[in-house]
Amino acid sequence: MRLPSWPSWPSWPSWPSWPSWPSWPSWTATLTWKSACFIVVMCCSLAAVVGALVHVEVTRQTVATAREKALGKLHDVVRAYEAGEPLPRGSGLDPAGLPPELRALAVSGRRGTLVAEYRGRPTMWAAAPADGRALAAAVDYGQSARTISGLDNAIIGSSLLAIGGTLLVGAFAVTRVTRRLHQTATVARRITQGDLDARVNDPRTRTPSRHQDEVATVAAALDTMAGSLQSKLESERRFTADVAHELRTPLTGLQAASELLPEGRPTELVRERVRTMRQLTEDLLEISRLDSGSEVVEADLHQLGRLVRRVVRASGTDTEVAVVRDAHVETDRRRLERVLGNLVANAHKHGRAPVVLTVDGPVVTVRDHGDGFPEYLAAHGPQRFRSGGKGHGLGLTIAVGQAAVIGARLEFRAAEGGGGLAVLTLPGS
């Protein structure tokens, strides 16, 4: 027996995609622009509220005065009509120009007033019932209308002047604050780039008894943080340099003593460990000198292709050299050789062959065909005592430091097709 199939559920309609935010210019994100918009909105709101109140009150008084005048004239017209006397000028029974709604009100037995155009001029009409007809009187409303219009123009003009003046004063005050904020941000960026001597030195923070605003508080906190950071880094730098310096003497003695040991596998292990510790000590001393910022560049003009081949020969490694476009660069040869030597050694130690060193003008690249650089290295640069494999992570740290001394830029990327790619861009490129 064949079982009936269940009906399929209807497919749900797809949700509509949310509209993307409009792309605003970058200057609209500034505090000055936002403050200016806030000032303009608040001034316009205040001017609109005050102007509306003044307009309503003055209009009410003006209309009330015109209405009283029209009703007074209507009273005289009614008296003259009842006495059988001639009606004053500007009045009559069902006169031409009387608004129909006011005529209907008077015929129904009530009095009323209404402003309407008559012969191209604003007129205040007043009407009263008279034997089933409308007895009306007209009063010129032009002066009152001009008064209200002039008042509206004065309100608009004064509001614009007030908004402009407030905007100028507010922009001046906000600009002074934003200028101090920009100065604080600039100092923070200089500290991030390694200038530990950078300070804001806001004059409001020099006198303790002087009241400080929020910007001065932030500037003082940044200066305090920079001073504390500088003291700690200098202490660590001195400690590292002192330890490395103190280790040189015993390691030299240890290396000399290891040479007196009888040949054998244990002796080779001891000598290898001593060489490793000695190299680590020298690296630490070099990093300390780089951190101190006291390095002096001895620049001269060198042919880059010849210098690269000398570095490869000195490394004793099987490294392929490709000169796409040779160039002459003015740099410190010893420091540049140190950078390239560390990059080649790192490629052979942590990557896989073939290792290719390419010269393309003032740009030198070192590529290996291993697993590539770790993500943290490509994103944030090398870190001391952190390495993707064995090692202390000091070789690339020294390479970056020496590159900075000679004004070059060293970047670590992922090579196309796999592997790591170190790109050294020398000045003048």
Side-chain angles (χ1 to χ4, degrees), residues 278-329:
R278 188 174 179 83
Q279 183 62 45
L280 175 60
T281 302
E282 296 298 332
D283 289 346
L284 289 175
L285 283 174
E286 185 171 358
I287 288 176
S288 298
R289 290 193 297 268
L290 291 173
D291 289 343
S292 65
S294 59
E295 296 289 87
V296 179
V297 177
E298 299 178 358
D300 201 355
L301 192 63
H302 299 280
Q303 185 178 356
L304 196 54
R306 182 182 304 172
L307 189 147
V308 164
R309 292 187 180 93
R310 183 166 55 245
V311 170
V312 172
R313 286 195 302 268
S315 68
T317 59
D318 184 15
T319 302
E320 179 184 346
V321 177
V323 179
V324 178
R325 180 168 56 95
D326 205 351
H328 287 80
V329 293

Short mmCIF file of all heavy atoms in Angstrom, two decimals, residues 278-329:
data_model
loop_
_atom_site.label_atom_id
_atom_site.label_comp_id
_atom_site.label_asym_id
_atom_site.label_seq_id
_atom_site.Cartn_x
_atom_site.Cartn_y
_atom_site.Cartn_z
N ARG A 278 75.90 33.43 24.17
CA ARG A 278 76.70 34.59 23.80
C ARG A 278 75.98 35.40 22.71
O ARG A 278 75.95 36.64 22.77
CB ARG A 278 78.07 34.14 23.32
CG ARG A 278 79.04 35.29 23.08
CD ARG A 278 80.43 34.77 22.73
NE ARG A 278 81.34 35.89 22.48
CZ ARG A 278 81.98 36.57 23.43
NH1 ARG A 278 81.81 36.24 24.70
NH2 ARG A 278 82.78 37.57 23.11
N GLN A 279 75.39 34.71 21.71
CA GLN A 279 74.66 35.41 20.66
C GLN A 279 73.44 36.12 21.23
O GLN A 279 73.13 37.25 20.84
CB GLN A 279 74.24 34.41 19.58
CG GLN A 279 73.52 35.06 18.39
CD GLN A 279 74.40 36.05 17.66
OE1 GLN A 279 75.57 35.78 17.40
NE2 GLN A 279 73.84 37.22 17.35
N LEU A 280 72.76 35.46 22.18
CA LEU A 280 71.61 36.09 22.81
C LEU A 280 72.02 37.35 23.57
O LEU A 280 71.34 38.38 23.53
CB LEU A 280 70.93 35.09 23.76
CG LEU A 280 69.77 35.63 24.61
CD1 LEU A 280 68.65 36.15 23.71
CD2 LEU A 280 69.25 34.53 25.55
N THR A 281 73.15 37.29 24.25
CA THR A 281 73.65 38.46 24.99
C THR A 281 73.97 39.60 24.04
O THR A 281 73.62 40.77 24.30
CB THR A 281 74.90 38.07 25.79
OG1 THR A 281 74.57 36.99 26.68
CG2 THR A 281 75.40 39.25 26.59
N GLU A 282 74.62 39.30 22.92
CA GLU A 282 74.95 40.34 21.95
C GLU A 282 73.68 40.94 21.34
O GLU A 282 73.60 42.16 21.12
CB GLU A 282 75.84 39.77 20.84
CG GLU A 282 77.21 39.29 21.31
CD GLU A 282 78.04 40.40 21.90
OE1 GLU A 282 77.85 41.58 21.49
OE2 GLU A 282 78.89 40.12 22.76
N ASP A 283 72.67 40.10 21.09
CA ASP A 283 71.40 40.60 20.55
C ASP A 283 70.71 41.54 21.55
O ASP A 283 70.15 42.58 21.17
CB ASP A 283 70.48 39.44 20.19
CG ASP A 283 70.97 38.68 18.96
OD1 ASP A 283 71.84 39.22 18.24
OD2 ASP A 283 70.48 37.56 18.72
N LEU A 284 70.75 41.16 22.81
CA LEU A 284 70.13 42.01 23.83
C LEU A 284 70.84 43.34 23.94
O LEU A 284 70.20 44.40 24.11
CB LEU A 284 70.13 41.28 25.19
CG LEU A 284 69.17 40.10 25.33
CD1 LEU A 284 69.37 39.41 26.67
CD2 LEU A 284 67.72 40.57 25.18
N LEU A 285 72.16 43.34 23.86
CA LEU A 285 72.90 44.60 23.89
C LEU A 285 72.56 45.46 22.68
O LEU A 285 72.40 46.69 22.80
CB LEU A 285 74.40 44.30 23.93
CG LEU A 285 74.97 43.85 25.28
CD1 LEU A 285 76.43 43.45 25.12
CD2 LEU A 285 74.84 44.97 26.31
N GLU A 286 72.41 44.84 21.52
CA GLU A 286 72.07 45.61 20.32
C GLU A 286 70.67 46.19 20.42
O GLU A 286 70.44 47.35 20.03
CB GLU A 286 72.20 44.72 19.08
CG GLU A 286 71.99 45.47 17.77
CD GLU A 286 72.33 44.63 16.56
OE1 GLU A 286 72.75 43.47 16.73
OE2 GLU A 286 72.16 45.13 15.43
N ILE A 287 69.73 45.42 20.94
CA ILE A 287 68.37 45.93 21.12
C ILE A 287 68.35 47.08 22.11
O ILE A 287 67.62 48.08 21.94
CB ILE A 287 67.43 44.79 21.57
CG1 ILE A 287 67.19 43.83 20.39
CG2 ILE A 287 66.10 45.34 22.06
CD1 ILE A 287 66.35 42.63 20.75
N SER A 288 69.14 46.99 23.16
CA SER A 288 69.22 48.07 24.14
C SER A 288 69.75 49.34 23.50
O SER A 288 69.25 50.45 23.78
CB SER A 288 70.11 47.66 25.32
OG SER A 288 69.57 46.54 25.99
N ARG A 289 70.76 49.20 22.64
CA ARG A 289 71.28 50.39 21.95
C ARG A 289 70.24 50.97 21.00
O ARG A 289 70.11 52.19 20.89
CB ARG A 289 72.55 50.03 21.19
CG ARG A 289 73.75 49.73 22.08
CD ARG A 289 75.04 49.68 21.27
NE ARG A 289 75.01 48.61 20.28
CZ ARG A 289 75.48 47.39 20.48
NH1 ARG A 289 76.00 47.07 21.67
NH2 ARG A 289 75.43 46.48 19.53
N LEU A 290 69.49 50.10 20.32
CA LEU A 290 68.43 50.61 19.43
C LEU A 290 67.33 51.31 20.22
O LEU A 290 66.81 52.34 19.78
CB LEU A 290 67.85 49.45 18.62
CG LEU A 290 68.76 48.81 17.56
CD1 LEU A 290 68.11 47.57 16.97
CD2 LEU A 290 69.08 49.82 16.46
N ASP A 291 66.96 50.77 21.37
CA ASP A 291 65.92 51.38 22.18
C ASP A 291 66.35 52.73 22.73
O ASP A 291 65.51 53.63 22.94
CB ASP A 291 65.54 50.45 23.34
CG ASP A 291 64.76 49.23 22.86
OD1 ASP A 291 64.25 49.28 21.72
OD2 ASP A 291 64.68 48.25 23.61
N SER A 292 67.64 52.89 22.99
CA SER A 292 68.11 54.15 23.57
C SER A 292 68.07 55.29 22.56
O SER A 292 68.11 56.46 22.95
CB SER A 292 69.54 53.97 24.10
OG SER A 292 70.44 53.70 23.04
N GLY A 293 67.99 54.96 21.26
CA GLY A 293 67.93 56.00 20.24
C GLY A 293 69.24 56.74 20.05
O GLY A 293 69.25 57.85 19.51
N SER A 294 70.35 56.17 20.49
CA SER A 294 71.65 56.83 20.39
C SER A 294 72.47 56.35 19.20
O SER A 294 73.64 56.69 19.09
CB SER A 294 72.44 56.58 21.69
OG SER A 294 72.62 55.18 21.91
N GLU A 295 71.87 55.56 18.33
CA GLU A 295 72.61 55.03 17.18
C GLU A 295 72.91 56.14 16.18
O GLU A 295 72.05 57.01 15.91
CB GLU A 295 71.81 53.93 16.51
CG GLU A 295 71.58 52.70 17.39
CD GLU A 295 72.84 51.90 17.61
OE1 GLU A 295 73.59 52.24 18.56
OE2 GLU A 295 73.11 50.97 16.83
N VAL A 296 74.11 56.12 15.62
CA VAL A 296 74.54 57.12 14.64
C VAL A 296 74.68 56.43 13.28
O VAL A 296 75.33 55.39 13.17
CB VAL A 296 75.88 57.76 15.05
CG1 VAL A 296 76.33 58.77 13.99
CG2 VAL A 296 75.75 58.44 16.41
N VAL A 297 74.06 57.01 12.26
CA VAL A 297 74.08 56.43 10.92
C VAL A 297 75.30 56.95 10.17
O VAL A 297 75.55 58.16 10.12
CB VAL A 297 72.79 56.78 10.16
CG1 VAL A 297 72.84 56.24 8.74
CG2 VAL A 297 71.58 56.23 10.90
N GLU A 298 76.08 56.05 9.58
CA GLU A 298 77.23 56.40 8.74
C GLU A 298 76.87 56.06 7.30
O GLU A 298 77.12 54.95 6.81
CB GLU A 298 78.47 55.63 9.20
CG GLU A 298 78.88 55.95 10.64
CD GLU A 298 80.09 55.14 11.08
OE1 GLU A 298 80.56 54.30 10.26
OE2 GLU A 298 80.55 55.33 12.22
N ALA A 299 76.23 56.99 6.63
CA ALA A 299 75.69 56.74 5.30
C ALA A 299 76.74 56.96 4.23
O ALA A 299 77.61 57.82 4.34
CB ALA A 299 74.48 57.64 5.05
N ASP A 300 76.63 56.16 3.20
CA ASP A 300 77.48 56.28 2.02
C ASP A 300 76.72 55.69 0.84
O ASP A 300 75.69 55.03 1.01
CB ASP A 300 78.81 55.55 2.24
CG ASP A 300 79.89 56.07 1.29
OD1 ASP A 300 79.55 56.91 0.43
OD2 ASP A 300 81.05 55.63 1.40
N LEU A 301 77.22 55.92 -0.38
CA LEU A 301 76.54 55.44 -1.57
C LEU A 301 77.03 54.03 -1.89
O LEU A 301 78.24 53.78 -1.99
CB LEU A 301 76.82 56.38 -2.75
CG LEU A 301 75.97 56.18 -4.00
CD1 LEU A 301 74.50 56.44 -3.69
CD2 LEU A 301 76.44 57.09 -5.13
N HIS A 302 76.08 53.10 -2.05
CA HIS A 302 76.42 51.70 -2.30
C HIS A 302 75.54 51.15 -3.42
O HIS A 302 74.38 51.56 -3.58
CB HIS A 302 76.20 50.84 -1.04
CG HIS A 302 77.03 51.26 0.13
ND1 HIS A 302 78.35 50.92 0.28
CD2 HIS A 302 76.71 52.04 1.21
CE1 HIS A 302 78.82 51.43 1.41
NE2 HIS A 302 77.84 52.12 1.99
N GLN A 303 76.13 50.21 -4.18
CA GLN A 303 75.36 49.50 -5.20
C GLN A 303 74.63 48.35 -4.52
O GLN A 303 75.23 47.49 -3.91
CB GLN A 303 76.29 48.97 -6.30
CG GLN A 303 75.54 48.33 -7.46
CD GLN A 303 76.48 47.85 -8.55
OE1 GLN A 303 77.68 48.08 -8.46
NE2 GLN A 303 75.92 47.21 -9.56
N LEU A 304 73.31 48.37 -4.65
CA LEU A 304 72.49 47.45 -3.88
C LEU A 304 72.70 45.99 -4.30
O LEU A 304 72.76 45.09 -3.44
CB LEU A 304 71.01 47.84 -4.02
CG LEU A 304 70.05 47.24 -3.00
CD1 LEU A 304 70.50 47.53 -1.58
CD2 LEU A 304 68.64 47.80 -3.21
N GLY A 305 72.83 45.73 -5.60
CA GLY A 305 73.00 44.36 -6.05
C GLY A 305 74.28 43.74 -5.51
O GLY A 305 74.29 42.58 -5.06
N ARG A 306 75.39 44.48 -5.55
CA ARG A 306 76.65 43.96 -5.05
C ARG A 306 76.58 43.73 -3.54
O ARG A 306 77.08 42.72 -3.03
CB ARG A 306 77.76 44.95 -5.38
CG ARG A 306 79.16 44.51 -4.95
CD ARG A 306 80.17 45.57 -5.28
NE ARG A 306 80.14 45.91 -6.71
CZ ARG A 306 80.83 46.94 -7.23
NH1 ARG A 306 81.57 47.70 -6.45
NH2 ARG A 306 80.77 47.17 -8.52
N LEU A 307 75.94 44.65 -2.81
CA LEU A 307 75.82 44.51 -1.36
C LEU A 307 75.00 43.27 -1.00
O LEU A 307 75.32 42.54 -0.06
CB LEU A 307 75.19 45.78 -0.78
CG LEU A 307 75.16 45.94 0.73
CD1 LEU A 307 75.30 47.41 1.10
CD2 LEU A 307 73.84 45.41 1.30
N VAL A 308 73.92 43.02 -1.75
CA VAL A 308 73.06 41.86 -1.49
C VAL A 308 73.83 40.56 -1.70
O VAL A 308 73.72 39.61 -0.90
CB VAL A 308 71.80 41.93 -2.37
CG1 VAL A 308 71.11 40.58 -2.41
CG2 VAL A 308 70.84 43.00 -1.86
N ARG A 309 74.62 40.48 -2.77
CA ARG A 309 75.39 39.26 -3.03
C ARG A 309 76.43 39.02 -1.93
O ARG A 309 76.68 37.86 -1.55
CB ARG A 309 76.07 39.37 -4.39
CG ARG A 309 75.09 39.34 -5.57
CD ARG A 309 75.84 39.28 -6.89
NE ARG A 309 74.90 39.27 -8.02
CZ ARG A 309 74.50 40.35 -8.67
NH1 ARG A 309 74.93 41.56 -8.29
NH2 ARG A 309 73.65 40.25 -9.68
N ARG A 310 77.01 40.11 -1.39
CA ARG A 310 77.97 39.95 -0.30
C ARG A 310 77.29 39.41 0.95
O ARG A 310 77.84 38.59 1.68
CB ARG A 310 78.65 41.29 -0.03
CG ARG A 310 79.73 41.20 1.04
CD ARG A 310 80.63 42.41 1.08
NE ARG A 310 79.88 43.65 1.23
CZ ARG A 310 79.81 44.60 0.31
NH1 ARG A 310 80.44 44.45 -0.84
NH2 ARG A 310 79.14 45.71 0.53
N VAL A 311 76.06 39.86 1.21
CA VAL A 311 75.32 39.37 2.36
C VAL A 311 75.03 37.88 2.23
O VAL A 311 75.17 37.11 3.19
CB VAL A 311 74.00 40.17 2.54
CG1 VAL A 311 73.10 39.51 3.57
CG2 VAL A 311 74.30 41.59 2.94
N VAL A 312 74.65 37.44 1.03
CA VAL A 312 74.33 36.03 0.81
C VAL A 312 75.59 35.17 0.97
O VAL A 312 75.56 34.09 1.58
CB VAL A 312 73.70 35.84 -0.57
CG1 VAL A 312 73.55 34.35 -0.90
CG2 VAL A 312 72.33 36.53 -0.62
N ARG A 313 76.73 35.65 0.43
CA ARG A 313 77.98 34.88 0.59
C ARG A 313 78.37 34.78 2.06
O ARG A 313 78.81 33.72 2.52
CB ARG A 313 79.10 35.55 -0.22
CG ARG A 313 79.00 35.36 -1.71
CD ARG A 313 80.30 35.71 -2.39
NE ARG A 313 80.69 37.09 -2.11
CZ ARG A 313 80.37 38.13 -2.86
NH1 ARG A 313 79.62 37.95 -3.95
NH2 ARG A 313 80.77 39.34 -2.55
N ALA A 314 78.21 35.87 2.81
CA ALA A 314 78.58 35.85 4.22
C ALA A 314 77.66 34.95 5.04
O ALA A 314 78.07 34.40 6.07
CB ALA A 314 78.56 37.27 4.79
N SER A 315 76.41 34.76 4.59
CA SER A 315 75.48 33.93 5.35
C SER A 315 75.79 32.45 5.21
O SER A 315 75.40 31.64 6.06
CB SER A 315 74.05 34.21 4.89
OG SER A 315 73.85 33.75 3.55
N GLY A 316 76.49 32.07 4.13
CA GLY A 316 76.81 30.67 3.92
C GLY A 316 75.61 29.80 3.63
O GLY A 316 75.63 28.59 3.88
N THR A 317 74.54 30.38 3.13
CA THR A 317 73.31 29.64 2.86
C THR A 317 73.08 29.55 1.37
O THR A 317 73.65 30.31 0.57
CB THR A 317 72.09 30.34 3.51
OG1 THR A 317 71.99 31.67 2.99
CG2 THR A 317 72.26 30.40 5.02
N ASP A 318 72.22 28.62 0.98
CA ASP A 318 71.87 28.43 -0.41
C ASP A 318 70.69 29.35 -0.73
O ASP A 318 69.53 28.94 -0.74
CB ASP A 318 71.51 26.97 -0.67
CG ASP A 318 71.24 26.72 -2.16
OD1 ASP A 318 71.61 27.58 -2.98
OD2 ASP A 318 70.65 25.67 -2.47
N THR A 319 71.00 30.62 -0.96
CA THR A 319 69.97 31.63 -1.22
C THR A 319 70.12 32.14 -2.64
O THR A 319 71.22 32.51 -3.08
CB THR A 319 70.11 32.82 -0.25
OG1 THR A 319 70.01 32.33 1.09
CG2 THR A 319 69.03 33.85 -0.50
N GLU A 320 69.02 32.14 -3.37
CA GLU A 320 69.01 32.61 -4.76
C GLU A 320 68.89 34.13 -4.76
O GLU A 320 68.07 34.71 -4.05
CB GLU A 320 67.85 31.98 -5.51
CG GLU A 320 67.75 32.43 -6.96
CD GLU A 320 66.53 31.86 -7.66
OE1 GLU A 320 65.91 30.92 -7.10
OE2 GLU A 320 66.19 32.35 -8.76
N VAL A 321 69.69 34.80 -5.58
CA VAL A 321 69.68 36.26 -5.71
C VAL A 321 69.15 36.61 -7.09
O VAL A 321 69.67 36.11 -8.11
CB VAL A 321 71.07 36.86 -5.48
CG1 VAL A 321 71.03 38.37 -5.70
CG2 VAL A 321 71.58 36.53 -4.09
N ALA A 322 68.14 37.47 -7.13
CA ALA A 322 67.56 37.93 -8.40
C ALA A 322 67.57 39.45 -8.40
O ALA A 322 66.94 40.07 -7.54
CB ALA A 322 66.15 37.39 -8.58
N VAL A 323 68.30 40.04 -9.35
CA VAL A 323 68.36 41.50 -9.47
C VAL A 323 67.51 41.90 -10.66
O VAL A 323 67.93 41.76 -11.82
CB VAL A 323 69.81 41.98 -9.62
CG1 VAL A 323 69.84 43.51 -9.77
CG2 VAL A 323 70.66 41.53 -8.44
N VAL A 324 66.30 42.36 -10.38
CA VAL A 324 65.40 42.81 -11.44
C VAL A 324 65.82 44.17 -11.96
O VAL A 324 65.88 44.42 -13.17
CB VAL A 324 63.94 42.85 -10.93
CG1 VAL A 324 63.00 43.36 -12.01
CG2 VAL A 324 63.51 41.47 -10.45
N ARG A 325 66.12 45.06 -11.04
CA ARG A 325 66.55 46.43 -11.38
C ARG A 325 67.49 46.91 -10.29
O ARG A 325 67.07 47.14 -9.15
CB ARG A 325 65.32 47.34 -11.51
CG ARG A 325 65.63 48.78 -11.87
CD ARG A 325 64.34 49.50 -12.26
NE ARG A 325 63.35 49.41 -11.19
CZ ARG A 325 63.16 50.35 -10.26
NH1 ARG A 325 63.93 51.43 -10.24
NH2 ARG A 325 62.23 50.19 -9.35
N ASP A 326 68.75 47.02 -10.65
CA ASP A 326 69.75 47.42 -9.66
C ASP A 326 69.63 48.92 -9.38
O ASP A 326 69.07 49.67 -10.18
CB ASP A 326 71.16 47.08 -10.15
CG ASP A 326 72.13 46.91 -8.99
OD1 ASP A 326 71.74 47.23 -7.85
OD2 ASP A 326 73.26 46.45 -9.22
N ALA A 327 70.14 49.32 -8.22
CA ALA A 327 70.05 50.73 -7.84
C ALA A 327 71.20 51.07 -6.91
O ALA A 327 71.78 50.19 -6.25
CB ALA A 327 68.71 51.02 -7.16
N HIS A 328 71.53 52.36 -6.85
CA HIS A 328 72.50 52.87 -5.89
C HIS A 328 71.73 53.58 -4.77
O HIS A 328 70.87 54.42 -5.05
CB HIS A 328 73.47 53.85 -6.55
CG HIS A 328 74.47 53.17 -7.44
ND1 HIS A 328 74.17 52.76 -8.73
CD2 HIS A 328 75.78 52.81 -7.22
CE1 HIS A 328 75.23 52.19 -9.27
NE2 HIS A 328 76.23 52.21 -8.38
N VAL A 329 72.01 53.20 -3.55
CA VAL A 329 71.30 53.75 -2.41
C VAL A 329 72.31 54.35 -1.44
O VAL A 329 73.45 53.86 -1.30
CB VAL A 329 70.46 52.68 -1.69
CG1 VAL A 329 69.34 52.20 -2.57
CG2 VAL A 329 71.33 51.51 -1.25
#
